[in-house]
């Protein structure tokens, strides 16, 4: 998993599929995590043109292919498993190389596709997560940044 973390966080850009303006949803919390760590992130949500975090509004993109540079983007996924599989197929076709499947976003079929279809796929329980529900950027993300040797600073929202 260390190699997957390094690959994921070595990406110059990030995207959050399932981004939301609702602070109670994980799509909001994960987007906010990237923003708080001053990482270049694009919210991905085909249902709304914008999402807000605190008092700032961000334009969304509708699909992985709509990202400014999909081949340079690592994708965090916060969608139901049936949506996740279709999303991963689009992401692979767009050239995304690394994905992070948050807890609850995958089933066995999704996990198998992710692990075979991408250079790096972070998901599940194995190999060192400190979370009790599986690898989660909110819990394991800072360790991943360190593994990748990525300097970050706590941003302000």
């Amino acid at each position: 998993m260390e190699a997957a973390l390094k690959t994921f966080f070595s990406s110059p850009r990030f995207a959050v599929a399932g981004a939301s303006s609702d602070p109670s949803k994980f799509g909001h919390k994960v987007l906010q995590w990237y923003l708080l760590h001053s990482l270049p992130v694009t919210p991905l949500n085909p249902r709304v043109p914008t999402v807000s975090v605190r008092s700032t509004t961000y334009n969304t993109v509708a699909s992985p292919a709509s990202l400014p540079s999909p081949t340079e983007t690592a994708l965090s996924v916060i969608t139901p498993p049936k949506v996740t599989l279709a999303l991963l197929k689009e992401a692979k076709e767009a050239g995304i190389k690394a994905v992070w499947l948050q807890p609850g976003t995958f089933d066995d079929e999704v996990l198998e596709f992710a692990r075979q279809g991408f250079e790096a796929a972070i998901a599940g329980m194995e190999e060192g997560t400190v979370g009790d529900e599986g690898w989660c950027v909110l819990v394991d993300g800072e360790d991943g940044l360190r593994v990748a040797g990525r300097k970050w600073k706590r941003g302000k929202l």
Side-chain angles (χ1 to χ4, degrees), residues 101-114:
L101 306 179
Q102 291 293 123
T105 66
F106 58 89
D107 54 22
D108 291 341
E109 180 182 13
V110 170
L111 194 55
E112 182 179 338
F113 181 86

Side-chain angles (χ1 to χ4, degrees), residues 2 13 34 40 45 61 66 71 76 80 84 86 101 105 112 117 119 124 137 154:
E2 190 169 300
R13 300 168 185 255
Y34 283 98
N45 189 322
V61 298
S66 299
T71 60
S76 284
T84 301
L101 306 179
T105 66
E112 182 179 338
E119 287 179 24
V137 75
R154 174 96 35 203

